[in-house]
Amino acid sequence: MPHEVHITQTPHRDLAVVRTATTFPGIPAAMGQAFGRVAAYLGPLGLLGNSPAVGLYTDMDLQAGTLTVSAGFRVGRPVEGDGTVVPAELPATEVATTTHVGPYATVSEAYDAIAAAMALQGRELDESTMWEEYWSPPGTPDEDTVTEVFCPLKPAA
């Protein structure tokens, strides 16, 4: 399925996350543990709503194959955290975005589509921070899994 890429302005959003320094192959395990920990923290506070799970990727070193993953959930207000669960923010910024339908293992196709579309438009990605929103509950068949991908853009020249 082709990826339709859009440029849009995203609003500021607060998150509750667990941050993990990991390798690219370690992302699924880190995220699974983080989502469970954040859900356990937010549930008793009444803050685990209908928002998607979020994976925020920073500190990427492609040569070393390492990055920091901040995985958790959007929340309606900043949280204090408990030392393991910490507050985080998604910036209000201009992004290139697309929706990926299919297995997580093929979500890189969405990033490739964003990079190609922005190159055609003469826009440059700010690769210091990228994020994904996971809209499918656990147990969704791979072919029906919906992931929205966001890549901030550098200011237009």
Side-chain angles (χ1 to χ4, degrees), residues 4-30:
E4 193 172 315
V5 178
H6 303 280
I7 295 175
T8 190
Q9 185 74 26
T10 59
H12 170 273
R13 289 173 271 183
D14 290 302
L15 306 173
V17 301
V18 170
R19 286 195 181 96
T20 307
T22 189
T23 62
F24 287 96
I27 291 172

Side-chain angles (χ1 to χ4, degrees), residues 1-6 97-114 131-136 140-150:
M1 166 191 225
H3 292 91
E4 193 172 315
V5 178
H6 303 280
T97 183
T98 190
T99 301
H100 178 74
V101 179
Y104 296 126
T106 61
V107 79
S108 63
E109 295 169 5
Y111 287 96
D112 293 343
I114 288 172
W131 69 91
E132 300 168 1
E133 292 182 350
Y134 310 104
W135 288 93
S136 302
T140 300
D142 281 352
E143 65 274 7
D144 297 328
T145 299
V146 177
T147 306
E148 208 167 341
V149 176
F150 298 86

Side-chain angles (χ1 to χ4, degrees), residues 20-43:
T20 307
T22 189
T23 62
F24 287 96
I27 291 172
M31 292 182 85
Q33 292 171 2
F35 291 142
R37 180 69 187 97
V38 175
Y41 173 80
L42 294 177

Side-chain angles (χ1 to χ4, degrees), residues 30-83:
M31 292 182 85
Q33 292 171 2
F35 291 142
R37 180 69 187 97
V38 175
Y41 173 80
L42 294 177
L45 299 175
L47 296 175
L48 192 58
N50 293 328
S51 67
V54 176
L56 174 63
Y57 305 101
T58 57
D59 307 319
M60 286 178 263
D61 182 335
L62 297 178
Q63 284 187 331
T66 60
L67 72 162
T68 299
V69 174
S70 298
F73 298 92
R74 289 192 330 213
V75 291
R77 60 177 173 78
V79 297
E80 187 174 310
D82 64 4

